[in-house]
Amino acid sequence: MKPRAALAAILAAAILATAAAGQEAAPPMLAPIPAEGVALADFLWLKRPIVVFADSPNDPAFQAQMRNLAEDPAELVRRDVVVLTDTDPASASDARRRLRPRGFSMVLLDKDGAVKQRKPLPWSVREIVHAIDKFPLRQQEIREGRSGG
């Protein structure tokens, strides 16, 4: 009976350890940041900005893009993505002045500040991640064994 009790204790400890690890590893958050008052240069060599523009926060394409980005934030966090939003065409945000969007637009920049993709329709996280993984800087990160910056 002792081996059975020891096995039960080991299994119980393993279950508790797994549960504790699950509680500690909360899913990463990728909270959108309003573009007003933020300079794109602040992210140079640190993050890959995704800037989501619209003429209104009620724009269906804007809402769909934000839902898409929220579906799998872990993949975006792993690639050092930061999400900026600008839904006021009258705003004088650095992103709006520099990127000059018309209506809905999703713009993906690399860590060097270069515009890599401009999309007039919402993209899924899968499509975004696939595009990022083709960037030369991301390829270098992969070769060096880094998940991000």
Side-chain angles (χ1 to χ4, degrees):
M1 285 247 186
K2 287 196 178 202
R4 188 177 282 188
L7 180 61
I10 291 170
L11 287 174
I15 291 170
L16 289 175
T18 303
Q23 290 174 352
E24 292 172 12
M29 294 298 295
L30 187 66
I33 301 168
E36 186 144 347
V38 175
L40 291 175
D42 294 344
F43 303 108
L44 202 58
W45 303 112
L46 300 172
K47 297 285 184 182
R48 291 183 174 93
I50 292 178
V51 189
V52 184
F53 294 102
D55 291 341
S56 164
N58 299 322
D59 182 327
F62 175 79
Q63 292 177 351
Q65 184 63 69
M66 298 312 291
R67 277 192 308 273
N68 289 353
L69 293 172
E71 284 179 1
D72 194 4
E75 289 300 315
L76 297 172
V77 168
R78 189 172 295 120
R79 287 162 179 83
D80 296 328
V81 168
V82 62
V83 177
L84 303 175
T85 60
D86 187 333
T87 58
D88 182 9
S91 81
S93 73
D94 177 55
R96 193 168 282 275
R97 279 193 314 269
R98 183 169 166 224
L99 302 173
R100 301 176 185 245
R102 292 190 185 126
F104 173 82
S105 178
M106 187 210 56
V107 182
L108 175 58
L109 293 89
D110 203 359
K111 288 182 176 182
D112 62 0
V115 173
K116 296 294 187 177
Q117 299 276 329
R118 287 181 180 266
K119 294 297 171 184
L121 299 171
W123 257 26
S124 70
V125 169
R126 182 173 178 243
E127 291 168 313
I128 293 168
V129 165
H130 186 69
I132 290 172
D133 286 347
K134 292 180 181 179
F135 296 172
L137 287 173
R138 178 64 182 151
Q139 287 291 309
Q140 181 180 355
E141 291 171 356
I142 292 169
R143 280 192 304 273
E144 293 174 359
R146 296 181 288 148
S147 65

